[in-house]
Amino acid sequence: MHAADDTDSLERATEDFLAARPRLFGVAYRVLGSSADAEDILQEAWLRWQNTDREDIIEPRAFLTTVTTRLAINLAQSARMRRESYVGPWLPEPVDTSRDPNVGAERAEAVEMAVLLVLGKLNPVERAAYVLREAFDYPYPQIAEILDTSEVNTRQLVSRSRKHLAAERKEQPVGRAEHRRLLQVFLSAAQTGDLATLEHVLSEDVVSYSDGGGIRGASKIPVVGRQHVARYLKAFAPQFWPGAEVSWVEANGLPAVLVTSDGSAVALLSVDASNRGLERIMWMMNPVKLEPYVTSLAA
């Protein structure tokens, strides 16, 4: 092969990869719950694509999706062990979806923080099957091929994932406008330590998660139950809110609140809301996981 042929081949490979990249990122991010890990997977997928004999590959996107999914599953299996030693609750890394970044789904399914948190409790293969089916609408035979399993087993994987998600999210989430309203009510009450309003807006079995990665001020265990969460937030308010500024942002497809102090981001507040009230309160306070999100807002 001549040098010109090599150049043309690499250019086509680059074009094919860039065309598929949004979807590849969307799959990897949903399986891993980490934008940093998803980027690492895409880098490895690109290296493999460069070193593959591409002449016999009829559908580059299908090949790349298969490679990316399998790499993500492998990394998710090792990440599970890392998370067992993680200090405090683990939450997915937030992504800025306000400008339609490379999350890349035809549907918004499986990108919300609460859904990613629940999916994180599934095994990586179940998670991948659910993501490919529900977020990207892949047909079962193709998912089976990607996962190297039977179509019957693929349907069972997706079914189990749906049932698990339904069991964890007992009530349907509210619409975007109501979600923002509930978050606004909660934010005002949390800032002032308004116990009565907090108890009114929280569901009976609400859970508050603080992902601080070991930093001070973040609870190392989830706080569970309406009264416990309300009282925790009331006690928390005098230390956390004075001097803090809040900005409305979008994270993972829903309204969220960025909290800053002295010009530095200290927390991203996201919630999961149903007609019962707030079901999950998620405080991303780990600076390592928060910084990429904040950087993307300024891009």
Side-chain angles (χ1 to χ4, degrees):
M1 182 178 289
H2 298 294
D5 294 331
D6 289 338
T7 301
D8 290 344
S9 177
L10 185 57
E11 287 180 353
R12 285 195 300 271
T14 302
E15 290 172 0
D16 289 336
F17 184 82
L18 291 177
R21 193 184 192 285
R23 175 172 292 193
L24 302 181
F25 181 89
V27 171
Y29 172 70
R30 285 167 171 79
V31 172
L32 295 164
S34 166
S35 56
D37 286 347
E39 291 290 356
D40 289 343
I41 289 298
L42 261 61
Q43 181 64 26
E44 178 62 26
W46 165 242
L47 292 174
R48 295 196 180 195
W49 179 235
Q50 282 183 291
N51 295 324
T52 294
D53 184 356
R54 298 181 295 274
E55 290 187 6
D56 296 329
I57 297 176
I58 300 174
E59 298 183 20
R61 177 171 290 191
F63 175 87
L64 287 166
T65 301
T66 299
V67 169
T68 298
T69 302
R70 292 179 181 179
L71 287 171
I73 289 172
N74 290 339
L75 184 57
Q77 289 168 338
S78 62
R80 173 174 289 187
M81 292 184 290
R82 295 202 308 270
R83 288 173 192 169
E84 289 177 356
S85 60
Y86 192 81
V87 178
W90 178 93
L91 291 174
E93 288 183 22
V95 290
D96 175 19
T97 48
S98 62
R99 301 173 198 163
D100 192 26
N102 292 333
V103 177
E106 284 74 8
R107 312 181 197 179
E109 180 60 45
V111 73
E112 295 177 17
M113 292 285 282
V115 176
L116 291 173
L117 180 62
V118 173
L119 290 181
K121 299 177 182 179
L122 302 174
N123 73 55
V125 178
E126 289 174 331
R127 207 179 313 161
Y130 182 88
V131 165
L132 291 169
R133 180 62 185 172
E134 297 300 322
F136 296 94
D137 201 27
Y138 277 89
Y140 284 107
Q142 189 171 359
I143 299 173
E145 185 175 344
I146 291 171
L147 299 180
D148 193 23
T149 188
S150 68
E151 183 177 342
V152 171
N153 188 47
T154 298
R155 291 180 181 274
Q156 291 174 342
L157 290 169
V158 175
S159 178
R160 285 201 299 269
S161 300
R162 286 172 177 161
K163 290 177 181 177
H164 182 81
L165 191 63
E168 290 277 344
R169 302 185 87 190
K170 302 177 181 65
E171 300 289 337
Q172 286 293 317
V174 297
R176 185 182 181 89
E178 179 64 3
H179 180 281
R180 183 183 174 110
R181 187 191 72 81
L182 288 170
L183 179 53
Q184 176 67 73
V185 172
F186 169 79
L187 176 63
S188 297
Q191 288 174 304
T192 59
D194 183 343
L195 194 62
T197 302
L198 284 170
E199 291 185 350
H200 179 73
V201 79
L202 301 176
S203 69
E204 183 178 358
D205 49 0
V206 62
V207 184
S208 177
Y209 302 90
S210 301
D211 183 338
I215 69 167
R216 290 183 60 190
S219 175
K220 294 183 180 179
I221 59 172
V223 184
V224 182
R226 177 185 290 144
Q227 292 186 348
H228 287 129
V229 172
R231 289 171 182 169
Y232 171 76
L233 291 168
K234 179 178 174 62
F236 186 58
Q239 289 77 39
F240 184 73
W241 292 109
E245 297 181 357
V246 299
S247 303
W248 283 92
V249 293
E250 181 176 298
N252 294 70
L254 289 171
V257 173
L258 182 66
V259 183
T260 60
S261 181
D262 296 326
S264 298
V266 294
L268 178 71
L269 169 62
S270 303
V271 298
D272 182 25
S274 76
N275 57 9
R276 302 195 312 165
L278 301 190
E279 305 283 355
R280 292 174 179 81
I281 304 165
M282 295 159 285
W283 304 86
M284 175 53 69
M285 303 175 73
N286 185 337
V288 175
K289 297 165 77 170
L290 189 55
E291 182 181 0
Y293 174 80
V294 175
T295 300
S296 71
L297 293 178

